[in-house]
Amino acid sequence: MSRAQGAATGCTVTYTTNEWSGGFTAQIRVTNLGAALNGWRLEWAYGGDQQVTSAWNAQATQSGSSVTAVNAAHNAVLAAGASVDFGLQGTWRTADPAPTAFAFNGAPCGGTATPPPTPTPTPTSTAPADCAGAGATICSDFEDQSEPVPSGAWQTTAPDCQGTGKVSVDTSVAYSGTRSLRVDGHAGYCNHVFAASTRDLSSVGPLVYVRMRVRHTTALPINHVTFVSIPDASQGGKALRVGGQNGALQWNRESDDATLPEQSPAGVALSTPLATGRWLCLRYQIDTTAQSMRTWVDDQEIAGLRVDGVATQNIDGQWLARRTPPRPTGLRLGWESYGTGDDTLWFDDVALGSSPIGC
């Protein structure tokens, strides 16, 4: 992760990247320290060969190394002291340094700022990463899977309908050890395949903590897909589903198709796309006594994926239409496509229990 900041009497800018080989996402926060504005424009130049491919919560254009981001319709008004967040996704080939200077509505925003050295990432969670030490109900790195297809503690299933996807035990790609769970997920309505844990999770709680490593080949598509399915007794066995829609990570509740965040442009912008070609650490916290959930990607909590019991516009208003708290009973890892969307993905170091489990 790299971070650059600019500061002036009129604004502050924070630019934070999540980088992988050949690609990156950037989260940008602009704080207006001057008079109230109706319309804003942020400009900067890249020092590497970055190319912006998409943006959310703003309109971004690029000419050579110069990038201009302009407000969206819903966030044009920026009060004195207020901040606005937007994001980018892009590619790079030889270098991806953070920009060192910004201009806000044409005025330099701090002149030339030197980004600090990239720190060694340190988890924000103090929870132990050793799931066995945490007493987890599920603690699996798939090293006990000796057959080409899941067996024993994991069984292949297609709970709704079956298609051409498959799950297998992979000995060529792993986060730790020598084995992982591979899912070849294929497009097409009702193309579902999962490996389901055989453990009954009905007594885990009152908080359920889930930690897993996931590696995607393909970016989350525009159409709805699911890669984690959690049967929920409060929905009569229908699932809480973790997946994607409109290119960003989301929760989906099967019984009423409610989404978290809401699928408005502002809601989607408060979630995050998922990097491809590298292992991600995903963590979830599910309360079984109240409507409360939290989600982290690489120990960064995702603002658009938080339910706290108080409806927040564009985030959890739709989710809170149902007041009955969830009661997870199982865990399934795989792929559900409801139209378009192929992906090959892997799972490793999967843990679930009543105590926090770190990355």
Side-chain angles (χ1 to χ4, degrees):
M1 181 178 74
S2 61
R3 186 184 296 266
Q5 291 187 312
T9 57
C11 65
T12 63
V13 179
T14 301
Y15 178 105
T16 306
T17 60
N18 178 25
E19 179 187 293
W20 62 94
S21 178
F24 71 95
T25 57
Q27 191 68 30
I28 303 165
R29 168 166 289 188
V30 183
T31 301
N32 177 26
L33 302 181
L37 298 172
N38 188 353
W40 53 265
R41 180 180 76 258
L42 186 71
E43 299 168 282
W44 68 90
Y46 281 126
D49 56 358
Q50 299 101 316
Q51 291 293 316
V52 173
T53 57
S54 62
W56 54 95
N57 231 24
Q59 300 175 26
T61 57
Q62 182 169 358
S63 176
S65 61
S66 299
V67 180
T68 300
V70 178
N71 61 270
H74 64 272
N75 60 10
V77 176
L78 197 57
S83 299
V84 63
D85 293 276
F86 66 96
L88 307 170
Q89 184 160 356
T91 62
W92 61 279
R93 290 187 293 178
T94 60
D96 181 31
T100 58
F102 303 90
F104 188 53
N105 281 6
C109 203
T112 300
T114 303
T118 301
T120 300
T122 55
T124 57
S125 170
T126 58
D130 176 11
C131 55
T137 302
I138 296 176
C139 182
S140 179
D141 58 6
F142 302 103
E143 295 304 299
D144 61 346
Q145 295 289 315
S146 58
E147 301 298 323
V149 295
S151 60
W154 296 92
Q155 297 291 323
T156 302
T157 182
D160 298 316
C161 46
Q162 193 167 359
T164 56
K166 66 177 184 178
V167 294
S168 58
V169 178
D170 196 334
T171 58
S172 62
V173 176
Y175 178 78
S176 64
T178 60
R179 288 176 170 82
S180 68
L181 180 71
R182 172 173 170 155
V183 179
D184 291 280
H186 294 160
Y189 180 74
C190 230
N191 204 338
H192 302 179
V193 65
F194 289 90
S197 169
T198 59
R199 300 299 299 267
D200 182 359
L201 308 180
S202 300
S203 62
V204 177
L207 295 178
V208 178
Y209 296 91
V210 187
R211 191 281 317 277
M212 64 185 65
R213 299 282 179 174
V214 181
R215 183 185 180 108
H216 286 262
T217 300
T218 305
L220 294 172
I222 297 299
N223 285 24
H224 179 205
V225 294
T226 292
F227 58 88
V228 178
S229 176
I230 302 173
D232 178 8
S234 78
Q235 298 183 71
K238 292 186 180 294
L240 295 173
R241 304 184 288 199
V242 182
Q245 191 167 351
N246 288 311
L249 190 63
Q250 73 154 23
W251 284 87
N252 175 281
R253 190 166 54 209
E254 185 179 5
S255 60
D256 60 358
D257 209 31
T259 67
L260 178 74
E262 298 172 9
Q263 295 303 296
S264 64
V268 172
L270 292 169
S271 184
T272 182
L274 291 183
T276 59
R278 71 174 182 89
W279 289 99
L280 302 170
C281 180
L282 303 188
R283 294 193 295 123
Y284 317 113
Q285 175 186 302
I286 304 168
D287 195 336
T288 67
T289 66
Q291 279 287 17
S292 174
M293 301 197 309
R294 300 174 69 181
T295 302
W296 295 262
V297 178
D298 288 340
D299 272 324
Q300 177 70 46
E301 184 169 9
I302 308 304
L305 300 180
R306 182 167 186 170
V307 179
D308 57 10
V310 179
T312 301
Q313 186 177 6
N314 296 308
I315 299 179
D316 59 353
Q318 186 182 88
W319 197 266
L320 289 173
R322 179 184 175 93
R323 306 306 300 183
T324 307
R327 176 60 273 181
T329 61
L331 179 66
R332 302 185 293 230
L333 309 175
W335 190 254
E336 289 188 8
S337 172
Y338 309 94
T340 60
D342 283 31
D343 197 4
T344 301
L345 59 156
W346 292 262
F347 296 90
D348 206 348
D349 287 7
V350 178
L352 183 149
S354 300
S355 300
I357 306 165
C359 288

